[in-house]
Amino acid sequence: MERLATVAVAMPFGMIFCLTGILVNIIQAACFLIIWPVSKNTYRRIVGAVTDILFLHLTFLVDWWAGLEVRIHADLETLEVIGKEKALVMPNHTNPQNTFPFMDGQIGLMEPYFLDRNWAKDEGKLKSSFQELKDFPISFWLTIFVEGTRMITPDKLLAAQEFAISKGFPVPRNVLIPRTKGFVSAVQYMRSFVPAVYDVTVAVPKGHPIPSVKGFLRKQPSVVHFHIKRYAMNELPESDEGIAQWCKDRFVAKDAMLDKFRANGTFDGKESRDLRIPPKKSLIVAILLSCIDSIGAILLIRRFSLLSNWKGISSLAFAVAFDAILMYTFIEYTKLPEQGKVQARNRQVVKLH
């Protein structure tokens, strides 16, 4: 019954998100065919604005529906420039990064960079992609998950710990050992036009669930802390080896910082900005999208008389069933591993060590 209740809550969100996503895809595809050949920067500005509308619907789910509390820990200088400059972002993983199936097309038109996890294949692709960003017309954050995985599972953490022991590296307790080639390439090719690297450490206090789609839909309260340390790009080492070691050192520091966070429930020594008051922009967009999609659905039903015959009723029933299955699949796909298993794995590694 609990799963059915969650799916029932998810269905209106899913329907609105899917319908809006299809519309956004159509707009993006049209702009790609018509505007991209003429002006890449104009295309990028339009796609950025249109995509914001779609993701503001997700922001509404997180901020207004679930009431997620976000707390930023950074020095005042960093807080002043966040969102106003181009930056390379290096976070740790806390939960899976997933999208709805149809978003593959929408994301494809946003110029993301999908990798094969094979450096021989990825190197040329990355270099070309980085150069494409040189004349990007607006501020952006390029996020690189150097831990090289969609999410940290107990088995992956155990494997990282065993590898560290075998190589004589510091044994991680909260993060994985970074894979540095992509990060090194990004720094070397973006030095000239990206002024900063943001070292972001994400943590959830004890007693609060790790945020997930399932938790958001259930209005499950949670708190997420972001510790942000800004490094000027010209502060980083010049050599590839130096950059790689710098990245590894940052993850050793992240691991120690997360240990302290587990003990104290907060990050130390930084200004804290509490983002409990959600922005009204996402609320306005969510209401407008709900109205537009609802009116569109009503007009469609009337136009084709879908409630006046069994064929139309069957079509509507199929659409509702498809939405329910899609939401159920998505919720199950984004389930997180149990935290108790991670702690058990940690105790196992201590014995190995």
Side-chain angles (χ1 to χ4, degrees), residues 222-235:
S222 188
V223 180
V224 181
H225 291 249
F226 291 84
H227 181 281
I228 304 176
K229 172 66 175 175
R230 182 186 183 276
Y231 293 91
M233 190 69 81
N234 56 23
E235 295 178 6

Side-chain angles (χ1 to χ4, degrees), residues 159-172:
Q161 293 168 331
E162 291 175 336
F163 177 78
I165 291 172
S166 69
K167 297 293 184 180
F169 297 159
V171 180

